[in-house]
Amino acid sequence: MSSHVCDVLVVGGGIVGLTAAWRAQEAGASVVVLDPSPGDGATHAAAGMLGAVMEAGFGEEGQARLGTASLALWPAFAAALERAADLPPGAVGLETAGTLALAYDRDDLVALRRLLALHSGWGLGSAEISPQDARRREPGVGPRVAGAAWVPGDHRVDPRAVQVALSRVVAARGTLVPHAAVSLTRSDGAVVGALDEAGTAYAAGTVVLAAGHASGSLFAGAPTRPVPGTTLRLDAGADRSPSVVVRGTVQGRPVYAVPRPVRPDGRREVIVGATSDEREDDHLTRAGDVFGLLRDVRALLPELDDAVLLEAVTRSRPGSPDNAPILGWAADGLFLATGHHRNGILLTPLTAAAVDQALGAPPDSADAVAAVEATTRFADPRRFTDAYSTTRGGTA
Ligand code: GLY
């Protein structure tokens, strides 16, 4: 059996795992990432909504606090990543243009108003506007929309571009091994490494478990489940695409459309999503899901009928029992970064701040302090495990 020694072993090479790897490298650690196909999990299907407000529903104040704390970190995170990857500003597609929320019928409007009232009670910014005002913002809004709201603080980024940037940075200084981890290695109750599917053993001072919904199969204290979602990638003319994130409900069914920046040829990709299921992870796209997403998005944005359907992708988000992330030390030597559910992209900078803190780098801004505090309060893995024995690092 061959073996490999490193400071930090990251299990999972999606946007969360690579972010942890990058931050560990910044802390001076030697890093190995294990993933048979990096970025081909939830990251691959993610639309990139940074919906700290509109993703927060009833009973989810903790997620709202985590989301707003992370959203505040996105501009600095994106700029630092672009610099580290030697990419031009804007390369990861962060756009802080706000979000338009739509209600298709009267019942959808009643539900939207209830949500706005909930958010207002939490101090989250949004305001009801008329359908006419919605059309002034987005001329493509359909004629039958019953109501709308403007959410100035919900933004967007391009997850695949973020993944490319992270891959460049991490690969330049670390080792990406195209194999899956099959087990964690323990010694005296501590996690000290992992074994991969090729039989290679890795010894590490710290293991970061960021294997998405599969994390639970490696560590019982990370009780994750797959929450499959389908997104569609459309190629639209810029004049027929929304210019900001449009999300809404159509007879109670949620749907959203997230535009990418306009390309030089005047075309624009629009990501339409997403279904949210409780079933196994099989990467198979159901015909009815494609039908349902297109039916509902065209009710809100009829001009998307003329877009070209490029891709339908189904991948699984990692859900936890309470749908909040599992982020922090869970055993000596084991840091968990999983369970981000519908907010993996939104919560990426918060994850970075938590990893920085865990590896000894104190938060470098008031926003990072707030992110670490929110993580400690709402994402501590110890709510699911009693396996924790040794206090280690700031989030412990
Ligand atoms: N964040 C939106 C989704 O997971 O569909």
Side-chain angles (χ1 to χ4, degrees):
M1 182 195 294
S2 59
S3 64
H4 197 117
V5 178
C6 57
D7 296 325
V8 176
L9 176 68
V10 180
V11 179
I15 204 167
V16 167
L18 290 189
T19 292
W22 173 39
R23 301 320 303 163
Q25 289 175 335
E26 286 291 301
S30 60
V31 176
V32 172
V33 179
L34 286 178
D35 195 318
S37 46
D40 192 39
T43 302
H44 190 57
M49 274 192 307
L50 305 179
V53 178
M54 291 307 287
E55 282 288 329
F58 289 88
E60 295 181 342
E61 186 176 3
Q63 283 93 320
R65 299 291 165 221
L66 290 164
T68 48
S70 194
L71 188 57
L73 296 173
W74 251 109
F77 178 87
L81 177 58
E82 287 161 352
R83 272 195 308 276
D86 204 16
L87 292 167
V92 301
L94 176 66
E95 295 195 71
T96 54
T99 288
L100 184 62
L102 300 176
Y104 180 68
D105 66 16
R106 298 297 304 173
D107 288 343
D108 293 320
L109 183 55
V110 169
L112 176 61
R113 285 178 175 153
R114 288 186 69 220
L115 198 59
L116 297 182
L118 177 78
H119 293 158
S120 161
W122 291 343
L124 302 177
S126 57
E128 185 173 347
I129 59 174
S130 68
Q132 292 73 21
D133 280 341
R135 258 172 232 114
R136 272 190 275 280
R137 287 183 180 276
E138 283 297 343
V141 169
R144 299 189 54 189
V145 163
W150 178 244
V151 189
D154 277 3
H155 304 308
R156 66 187 191 267
V157 72
D158 180 346
R160 292 186 184 179
V162 175
Q163 177 79 18
V164 167
L166 285 167
S167 299
R168 276 173 72 132
V169 173
V170 173
R173 284 190 277 169
T175 307
L176 275 76
V177 179
H179 293 135
V182 291
S183 61
L184 302 182
T185 315
R186 291 164 183 273
S187 175
D188 292 333
V191 173
V192 295
L195 186 67
D196 79 12
E197 61 192 344
T200 302
Y202 300 83
T206 297
V207 174
V208 177
L209 181 54
H213 69 86
S215 301
S217 64
L218 291 166
F219 181 68
T224 48
R225 71 182 194 286
V227 183
T230 294
T231 51
L232 311 177
R233 199 162 295 260
L234 308 184
D235 177 4
D239 54 340
R240 292 181 177 273
S241 151
S243 59
V244 298
V245 174
V246 174
R247 58 183 303 159
T249 47
V250 179
Q251 297 172 331
R253 298 179 301 270
V255 69
Y256 54 75
V258 182
R260 296 281 180 258
V262 181
R263 297 195 310 243
D265 65 0
R267 308 284 298 172
R268 187 167 206 166
E269 272 193 8
V270 181
I271 315 305
V272 175
T275 57
S276 209
D277 292 306
E278 297 292 344
R279 57 175 163 81
E280 77 280 13
D281 173 63
D282 58 14
H283 289 204
L284 299 177
T285 300
R286 273 50 173 183
D289 287 341
V290 177
F291 168 76
L293 289 171
L294 291 175
R295 175 196 60 212
D296 291 340
V297 81
R298 75 193 288 269
L300 301 180
L301 298 166
E303 292 186 337
L304 285 181
D305 265 359
D306 286 332
V308 176
L309 176 58
L310 298 177
E311 187 183 82
V313 177
T314 303
R315 295 291 186 275
S316 293
R317 314 164 180 91
S320 73
D322 59 8
N323 289 339
I326 307 174
L327 190 53
W329 293 108
D332 216 16
L334 179 65
F335 188 89
L336 303 184
T338 186
H340 293 68
H341 198 233
R342 292 175 58 90
N343 289 313
I345 310 301
L346 170 64
L347 297 177
T348 291
L350 176 129
T351 302
V355 171
D356 285 349
Q357 164 92 354
L359 297 182
D364 62 357
S365 66
D367 287 336
V369 170
V372 168
E373 278 174 9
T375 304
T376 307
R377 190 157 162 221
F378 298 112
D380 191 332
R382 290 175 294 183
R383 69 195 191 278
F384 299 126
T385 178
D386 56 9
Y388 187 88
S389 57
T390 305
T391 298
R392 179 176 175 182
T395 57

